[in-house]
Amino acid sequence: MRDSNTLDSTRLQRLQQTPLWEFALALYAKPGVETACLTLQEEAELDVCELLFHCWLYSYGLEAIPRAAARQRKQRRQWQSSVTAVLRGLRRDLKASAASSDSVAALRETIKQAELMAERENLQRWQEWVLEAHSDEQRVINIVEMPQDSAKWLRNQLLFSKPNIHSESSLNTAPALCQALQTLTCQLDPHQGAR
């Protein structure tokens, strides 16, 4: 008998039909999602790309196997800290100067586009990690029963193997962070790919 959380190839095929980048853009454009993502990034130091990755899987009734995701998470965080965060810092540093200089404003816009490209690359690498797994290496499984509290499920996905006690306690107690997770998960359709 097949285990109920064994990967359903139909769900994986549906996942392949919606690239993570396109999913992320559509979700990010929904009401409240941008603010929720930025709140979680700034106040809980969570990686928005990983957050969107888990949302993508969830919307197709899938979840990453925590142990399998740990190594990929380390690589993705390295990318975020050495590339994306550097670009973000440069963009923020130029904000005041850009207000009074057209050339600095143009430079800041170029850096903003590079930051966006770095995030797109990070999402692409998350997607490849799932879709290019060897047949003997399972990286995602079906969510057996869709959770009643999807915000709690998402929080658990993000905090697994994250040794940041501050973020974990903040996500459990800070109303703004709990609200951000709730806002985000309310915009997901957990049934679109799980049928």
Side-chain angles (χ1 to χ4, degrees), residues 6-176:
T6 300
L7 183 60
D8 178 347
S9 62
T10 304
R11 291 183 190 188
L12 190 58
Q13 287 172 347
R14 289 188 180 127
L15 184 75
Q16 291 171 329
Q17 294 172 0
T18 304
L20 178 51
W21 176 250
E22 291 176 18
F23 171 86
L25 290 176
L27 179 60
Y28 207 76
K30 291 184 178 183
V33 171
E34 178 180 359
T35 301
C37 287
L38 294 176
T39 297
L40 292 166
Q41 175 180 281
E42 299 301 319
E43 295 183 30
E45 299 175 0
L46 293 176
D47 177 5
V48 171
C49 290
E50 184 178 357
L51 176 73
L52 294 169
F53 165 73
H54 288 294
C55 290
W56 179 59
L57 293 177
Y58 176 84
S59 69
Y60 288 90
L62 299 168
E63 65 184 357
I65 297 172
R67 287 190 187 123
R71 193 161 124 199
Q72 180 67 6
R73 177 180 288 116
K74 184 178 178 181
Q75 292 174 5
R76 301 290 38 87
R77 285 185 181 155
Q78 177 62 34
W79 175 267
Q80 287 294 84
S81 66
S82 64
V83 178
T84 310
V86 172
L87 293 167
R88 183 178 298 123
L90 289 170
R91 177 180 54 80
R92 288 177 176 169
D93 289 348
L94 293 174
K95 185 174 184 176
S97 299
S100 60
S101 170
D102 290 342
S103 60
V104 174
L107 173 60
R108 185 172 184 268
E109 185 59 33
T110 300
I111 292 170
K112 182 178 178 181
Q113 292 307 311
E115 180 186 354
L116 188 61
M117 289 173 64
E119 290 189 338
R120 184 176 186 167
E121 178 63 24
N122 200 10
L123 289 171
Q124 181 64 32
R125 291 178 184 193
W126 272 113
Q127 177 179 309
E128 289 170 0
W129 178 76
V130 169
L131 300 180
E132 296 178 5
H134 299 289
S135 59
D136 62 339
E137 180 185 14
Q138 191 171 6
R139 296 177 177 174
V140 296
I141 56 174
N142 292 338
I143 298 174
V144 179
E145 189 174 314
M146 295 308 279
Q148 298 227 347
D149 186 347
S150 55
K152 184 177 179 180
W153 174 90
L154 181 58
R155 184 196 73 219
N156 291 338
Q157 294 296 306
L158 293 164
L159 294 178
F160 183 85
S161 80
K162 183 175 178 157
N164 187 336
I165 304 301
H166 172 70
S167 290
E168 184 172 359
S169 62
S170 295
L171 281 175
N172 288 329
T173 60

